[in-house]
């Protein structure tokens, strides 16, 4: 299904790197203010666990983006469900190979992945963040800081996954 699974490990680093900059020098102080954090309150917590789980979840996210950014994954899913898919020379196997020979390299670039990453941010991340924020009685600044982070992050992750996976 993918040619370089190590790209998922690399793409999983994107949220970590963007987060370091986003919630640090760029928007660290406003983020702390809207959450009521202080430098002292952020010193607690098991950072090894937090960073390890965040990286693991980021790899899962990259895996999910694979299906959104690489249309070839959808083609594979469509054909692979047929019982004769792996039978060399079967009608479904031949049709799959024909489709992939003709269209298998289409839309496999950073720009296309970035587009789908941005759409995922708008259509999935924004509603999730905003719904939680509404029930938590958070304001627009809270939504903006977090959505901006996920918008940039998913654009970059989508581009990486689509271009190099």
């Amino acid at each position: 299904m993918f040619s370089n699974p190590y790209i998922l490990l690399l793409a999983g680093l994107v949220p970590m790197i963007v987060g370091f900059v986003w919630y640090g020098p760029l928007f660290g102080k406003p983020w702390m203010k809207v959450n009521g954090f202080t430098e002292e309150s952020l010193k607690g917590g098991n950072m090894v666990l937090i960073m390890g789980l965040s990286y693991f979840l980021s790899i899962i996210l990259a895996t999910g983006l694979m299906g959104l950014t690489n249309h070839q994954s959808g083609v594979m899913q469509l054909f692979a469900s047929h019982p004769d898919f792996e039978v060399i020379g079967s009608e479904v196997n031949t049709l799959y190979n024909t489709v992939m020979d003709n269209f298998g390299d289409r839309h496999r670039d950073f720009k296309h992945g970035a587009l789908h990453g941005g759409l995922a941010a708008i259509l999935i991340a924004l509603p999730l963040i905003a719904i939680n924020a509404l029930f938590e009685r958070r304001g627009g600044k809270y939504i903006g800081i977090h959505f901006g982070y996920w918008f940039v992050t998913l654009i970059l992750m989508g581009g990486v996954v689509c271009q190099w996976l």
Side-chain angles (χ1 to χ4, degrees), residues 31-121:
W31 170 73
M32 288 174 57
K33 185 175 180 180
V34 301
N35 283 295
F37 294 148
T38 64
E39 295 279 342
E40 190 63 35
S41 69
L42 290 175
K43 290 184 180 176
N46 182 340
M47 289 309 291
V48 172
L49 179 64
I50 291 168
M51 298 303 268
L53 283 175
S54 294
Y55 180 60
F56 174 72
L57 293 169
S58 295
I59 293 168
I60 292 173
L61 181 58
T63 304
L65 281 172
M66 178 176 61
L68 295 174
T69 62
N70 297 342
H71 302 297
Q72 294 79 359
S73 297
V75 173
M76 169 70 116
Q77 293 167 9
L78 178 68
F79 284 93
S81 63
H82 193 281
D84 292 336
F85 174 70
E86 293 187 27
V87 177
I88 305 295
S90 68
E91 183 178 359
V92 70
N93 181 270
T94 302
L95 181 57
Y96 170 76
N97 287 324
T98 300
V99 169
M100 291 306 285
D101 287 345
N102 288 307
F103 303 104
D105 61 351
R106 301 269 173 102
H107 307 297
R108 293 300 304 267
D109 58 29
F110 189 91
K111 183 172 72 172
H112 185 80
L115 170 68
H116 283 281
L119 289 172

